[in-house]
Amino acid sequence: MPIPYLQVSLDKETTRKPDLTSALKEIRVQYETLSSRNQQTSEEWYKTKFASFTETAFRNNDAVRQVKEELGEYRRQLQARNIEIEMLKSTNESLERQIQEIEDQHHSELSHLQETVNQLEGALGATRSEMARHLKEYQDLLNVKMALDIEIAAYRSPPPPYILIISL
């Protein structure tokens, strides 16, 4: 469809040019007001964030300081425990050496005592055999003495009267 032509007639008054300077001034004032408000909002946001970061950093610094102090204390405790462990290891080794020396000494004494016991048992056996031999000799001598005593008694006693019987 074709567009019909319009005829527009303008007056001089209606064709007046708008006052651009005042419009630009008004736009400039609005822009400056908006800019000022945005700048103020940004500065408040920045200050709030900076204060929050500062506070967080301060708390974190305190936490880091406390952790460092705890870490230092744990290191001191660890060093003390390591020193204590080394001392106990040294004491343990010393005690083990003493135990080994005492065991060696006891084994030596035990073997010496066992040797003495064996010697005494041998001597006891020899003494028993010698005593048994002496006892047998004594018994033999006692038997001989009794036989001699009987014989002597037979010679010492008056002879029994002899009775003579004669038969016819």
Side-chain angles (χ1 to χ4, degrees), residues 160-167:
Y162 292 109
I163 301 180
L164 201 49
I165 299 180
I166 304 185
S167 76

Side-chain angles (χ1 to χ4, degrees), residues 23-70:
L24 284 175
K25 281 183 184 179
E26 188 178 318
I27 291 173
R28 185 175 186 173
V29 167
Q30 288 176 0
Y31 176 75
E32 285 177 355
T33 305
L34 182 63
S35 173
S36 173
R37 241 185 286 146
N38 284 342
Q39 184 177 1
Q40 187 177 10
T41 305
S42 295
E43 283 179 10
E44 287 174 7
W45 178 84
Y46 172 77
K47 287 178 183 177
T48 305
K49 286 296 181 183
F50 186 77
S52 172
F53 289 146
T54 303
E55 182 181 332
T56 303
F58 183 73
R59 277 184 288 168
N60 288 342
N61 283 340
D62 282 346
V64 167
R65 183 181 44 77
Q66 286 177 340
V67 167
K68 283 182 180 180
E69 288 173 1
E70 288 176 9

